[in-house]
Amino acid sequence: MSNKLTSLTLGRLRKAPEHFLEGELLAQVSQNGLDEQRRSFIRKSFLGALATATGASAVAQSTATLGDPAILEKQIWATTLGKPVAANPYGVPSKYEAGLVRRESPGLTRVSAASVSFTPLQGLFGMITPSGLHFERHHQGWYELDPALHRLMINGLVKREMIFTMEDLMRLPSVSRIHFIECGANTGLEWGNVAVPTVQYTHGMISCSEFTGVPLATLLDLCGVDLKKGKYILAEGADGSGMTRTIPVEAAMDDVLVVWAMNGEMLRPENGYPLRLLVPGAQGVSSVKWLRRIEVGDQPYASKDEAVHYIDLMPSGLHRQYTSIQECKSVITTPSGGQQLLTKGFYNVSGIAWSGRGTIKRVDVSVDGGKNWREARLEGPILTKAITRFNINWDWDGAPAILQSRAIDSTGYVQPPINMLREVRGTRSIYHNNAIQSWKLDTNGEVSNVQVG
Ligand SMILES: Nc1nc2c(c(=O)[nH]1)N[C@H]1C(S)=C(S)[C@@H](COP(=O)(O)O)O[C@H]1N2
Ligand SMILES: [Mo]
């Protein structure tokens, strides 16, 4: 709940945006006593001498007075013994951060097993998504698979069809790489018009982790893949959704991984434990979870999840197929929809950018709805097909503003405004919306989702 209050980079926030759709706000606020804390923040806040020019340099600001009891008085943690090592042997976040959780959007899918939970991007820092906050997308619910009973079979156009146990796989030379997974439907609700209030719901179907596993190329080599005839692979999941996806063999031999670990530990059950495919840069559905079989074939498989789902409805009424790369995209996460800036003055505007085609080369930020742009700082490491964090200094003069970010990737591709994308794609798509996101800032500091440009 308090994730916003403890981090000054997020501004002082009146509302916790993640609670918008659930109406739990008041209950949690009183539980954690944050209402009072928040009010005292407001009471104590004052404006320092602030430059109002754009392109501000950081200015020290304080919302506490010199007589603040929080600095003058010894707290209980300075006068008593602390606890022994954490009671929960698997560490959990502070109780003051309990509001920072994945959230579902009730009614988004027809049955609860066909579910989505969104990553709370508004409360994250850097490029890595904590494993417990990685978004989830299940077509038929998740399972806790017994790794001792799990097998990976490779068949089709190979010299030797093989079946691997988890132990067989984990004996092979492994690699660790940082990549994003973004659902093709991320930001899909925004195709028609403004649909949801917060960045958790507009963009929260992206997460970025360090994955460890074996390159698929290693396994295909072991099986003696026939690269003359074998042009595509089919990846199949062990869940009842019959999830099968076609992947071109060039990608399979390039950077596709068969992974068992995420952020230094075995995959979480909901993210595919004990084994998943990772197809860097492609829409999330290609990264088949609970991976049980890879078949090498000579043509695309046109399975249900590529013939009926994950195809883009074009203005002509026809669908286009196999457009699986996630194009260059970015979004400002702070300040973002549902947050509120309580004072004028200095802010570190922060966000994330990514491209399924390579690295992020540049991110520009506008505070006037796209008329003027300034280049943001990119925080390293800048990795291919991974999230890149950007930051930019800004002095808010208290006037209404429209905040946008525009990313450019290593191919030179520039993230488009929503209306430019609509000219080509229409408004009835679900997938592949990589448009520039606009956040409107009112004079009272409230931030809301709008569509501009
Ligand atoms: N076997 C299987 N793999 C799957 C899915 C699924 O339902 N079953 N969902 C896919 C979709 S649509 C996405 S966006 C990603 C989401 O991965 P995550 O749940 O780890 O975020 O997994 C993909 N892999
Ligand atoms: Mo997805």
Side-chain angles (χ1 to χ4, degrees):
M1 188 53 244
S2 66
N3 53 311
K4 310 310 170 305
L5 288 169
T6 52
S7 39
L8 292 175
T9 52
L10 296 180
R12 260 69 66 208
L13 306 168
R14 201 192 62 191
K15 301 175 209 152
E18 62 268 40
H19 293 282
F20 254 102
L21 300 188
E22 270 122 343
E24 301 167 4
L25 178 62
L26 293 175
Q28 294 227 10
V29 164
S30 51
Q31 211 180 345
N32 293 335
L34 282 170
D35 225 359
E36 180 45 38
Q37 197 182 339
R38 195 169 273 155
R39 256 186 263 120
S40 77
F41 256 121
I42 302 168
R43 266 202 306 273
K44 289 174 196 153
S45 69
F46 69 89
L47 287 175
L50 294 171
T52 46
T54 52
S57 53
V59 177
Q61 277 183 113
S62 174
T63 54
T65 61
L66 288 177
D68 190 341
I71 188 75
L72 292 179
E73 285 163 21
K74 279 203 167 149
Q75 306 295 336
I76 188 157
W77 44 84
T79 55
T80 56
L81 269 183
K83 294 177 191 164
V85 294
N88 186 339
Y90 194 98
V92 293
S94 162
K95 67 178 181 186
Y96 299 111
E97 304 298 329
L100 193 73
V101 288
R102 296 186 286 216
R103 301 213 168 243
E104 290 180 65
S105 182
L108 191 62
T109 53
R110 251 170 269 170
V111 295
S112 60
S115 38
V116 186
S117 70
F118 297 82
T119 293
L121 297 173
Q122 71 280 4
L124 300 186
F125 308 93
M127 66 193 290
I128 299 290
T129 311
S131 295
L133 297 177
H134 193 291
F135 83 96
E136 302 159 87
R137 173 73 180 105
H138 316 303
H139 287 239
Q140 208 222 248
W142 62 275
Y143 304 78
E144 187 121 29
L145 267 63
D146 180 347
L149 295 179
H150 192 65
R151 302 286 181 270
L152 174 66
M153 172 167 151
I154 300 191
N155 68 307
L157 298 172
V158 291
K159 280 204 194 75
R160 288 171 296 280
E161 300 194 328
M162 287 181 83
I163 295 179
F164 298 89
T165 64
M166 284 306 298
E167 272 153 16
D168 297 337
L169 293 169
M170 292 170 76
R171 285 171 70 165
L172 293 169
S174 65
V175 297
S176 295
R177 291 192 193 133
I178 296 174
H179 289 299
F180 70 79
I181 296 180
E182 183 185 21
C183 180
N186 198 21
T187 325
L189 291 171
E190 303 287 305
W191 270 116
N193 49 40
V194 171
V196 290
T198 71
V199 73
Q200 181 157 13
Y201 293 107
T202 57
H203 289 76
M205 283 198 282
I206 183 164
S207 297
C208 183
S209 299
E210 184 199 60
F211 293 97
T212 300
V214 59
L216 179 55
T218 304
L219 299 178
L220 292 175
D221 280 343
L222 283 174
C223 297
V225 59
D226 180 347
L227 287 176
K228 284 217 183 73
K229 284 203 216 115
K231 295 293 167 217
Y232 295 91
I233 66 148
L234 181 78
E236 180 182 89
D239 53 328
S241 71
M243 173 59 66
T244 46
R245 291 291 302 180
T246 300
I247 293 143
V249 85
E250 302 82 61
M253 295 302 285
D254 179 19
D255 57 1
V256 174
L257 302 178
V258 171
V259 308
W260 52 79
M262 182 164 99
N263 296 331
E265 60 184 357
M266 290 298 285
L267 287 162
R268 296 287 169 91
E270 62 270 36
N271 302 114
Y273 179 88
L275 198 67
R276 83 178 298 168
L277 198 66
L278 179 74
V279 186
Q283 57 184 344
V285 66
S286 296
S287 291
V288 172
K289 300 191 277 191
W290 313 294
L291 181 70
R292 72 182 294 274
R293 195 169 69 88
I294 301 269
E295 182 178 308
V296 182
D298 57 1
Q299 51 188 315
Y301 285 81
S303 71
K304 75 167 164 56
D305 287 299
E306 40 209 24
V308 184
H309 304 138
Y310 300 97
I311 48 181
D312 298 319
L313 182 55
M314 302 297 280
S316 64
L318 295 176
H319 285 92
R320 64 174 194 185
Q321 216 172 347
Y322 295 116
T323 46
S324 74
I325 300 297
Q326 296 299 104
E327 298 289 358
C328 181
K329 185 166 168 182
S330 70
V331 65
I332 294 172
T333 52
T334 314
S336 60
Q339 298 184 327
Q340 183 172 27
L341 305 181
L342 292 186
T343 63
K344 302 192 268 188
F346 181 81
Y347 287 94
N348 178 54
V349 174
S350 187
I352 53 172
W354 63 97
S355 167
R357 296 196 188 272
T359 53
I360 291 298
K361 206 165 102 191
R362 204 174 102 193
V363 177
D364 298 325
V365 169
S366 173
V367 294
D368 56 12
K371 287 189 204 87
N372 297 289
W373 296 90
R374 279 194 299 138
E375 193 172 341
R377 300 188 302 277
L378 301 185
E379 308 301 331
I382 299 169
L383 302 175
T384 185
K385 304 172 187 178
I387 279 180
T388 296
R389 169 69 53 177
F390 66 86
N391 290 299
I392 191 165
N393 295 356
W394 184 46
D395 261 334
W396 180 43
D397 61 6
I402 293 190
L403 278 70
Q404 300 177 321
S405 65
R406 175 180 71 186
I408 302 169
D409 73 11
S410 47
T411 71
Y413 176 96
V414 183
Q415 184 185 3
I418 180 76
N419 287 334
M420 192 189 276
L421 199 60
R422 283 205 185 106
E423 273 168 32
V424 182
R425 303 272 307 281
T427 57
R428 291 185 297 159
S429 265
I430 300 170
Y431 307 106
H432 301 118
N433 182 348
N434 67 320
I436 290 172
Q437 171 69 39
S438 304
W439 301 119
K440 179 160 141 292
L441 178 59
D442 284 335
T443 46
N444 65 358
E446 278 184 20
V447 187
S448 56
N449 183 4
V450 292
Q451 290 189 344
V452 174

